[in-house]
Amino acid sequence: MPARSPIDSRALRQALGCFPTGVTIVTAPAGDGAFVGLTVNSFNSLSLDPPLILWSLATRSSSRRAFESAGHFAVNVLADDQVALSQRFSSQRPDKFDDLVVHAGLGGAPLIEGCSAHIECRTQSAQVEGDHVLFIGRVERVRSSGRPPLVFVGGRYRGLGAELG
Ligand SMILES: Cc1cc2nc3c(=O)[nH]c(=O)nc-3n(C[C@H](O)[C@H](O)[C@H](O)COP(=O)(O)O)c2cc1C
């Protein structure tokens, strides 16, 4: 039996929620022209040379097998007018891509229109750590649109505040 963590999970969530993040939808092809995608804020930069990024996926995710076998994924960095998309892709609904305009990215990973940025990656590694699979991606193509990004903090969506420095 693994030792129980002395950290209270509510306190952990609250503390982690004090750290503002952007909001992304990570997508991949799922075979037969289908796609998988989910809202992700565990995305972060890892290395500039070579260009590497990371994100983590809950081991219980219905998309886990597709992400592990896809070979490529795309990080769609959401703009501040895309809250509805974030809500759609953080749900369990099977029709997340219905009526959505997407473009084919590298390796067949779909790119969503209207985002702040697209970061297209080849999967470098995927390893289980705790209750998540840690994905590391080698960046193969990037594009930024200049649209202001969506922010997530304290469990709520925000826009960028005033510049302070
Ligand atoms: C702002 C936000 C960030 C999230 N970040 C992650 C994340 O980094 N990893 C993850 O596995 N789930 C994350 N989730 C939860 C998933 O989006 C959600 O569980 C989704 O239904 C999973 O899709 P699936 O059914 O395809 O696994 C996040 C949800 C929200 C609202």
Side-chain angles (χ1 to χ4, degrees), residues 19-112:
F19 182 65
T21 66
V23 183
T24 74
I25 294 172
V26 183
T27 57
D32 294 336
F35 303 124
V36 287
L38 75 156
T39 302
V40 162
N41 73 340
S42 56
F43 165 76
N44 218 321
S45 56
L46 175 61
S47 164
L48 287 176
D49 185 18
L52 301 173
I53 60 90
L54 60 81
W55 66 285
S56 63
L57 175 69
T59 49
R60 64 168 191 280
S61 165
S62 61
S63 319
R64 178 177 170 186
R65 296 292 163 223
F67 277 110
E68 284 177 334
S69 49
H72 277 81
F73 61 84
V75 180
N76 298 268
V77 180
L78 296 189
D80 64 2
D81 61 353
Q82 293 182 308
V83 171
L85 269 185
S86 176
Q87 290 166 336
R88 182 199 289 216
F89 278 84
S90 59
S91 74
Q92 298 287 332
R93 48 189 279 195
D95 58 345
K96 291 176 185 174
F97 285 91
D98 281 10
D99 309 325
L100 200 62
V101 179
V102 298
H103 303 282
L106 298 176
L111 305 177
I112 297 169

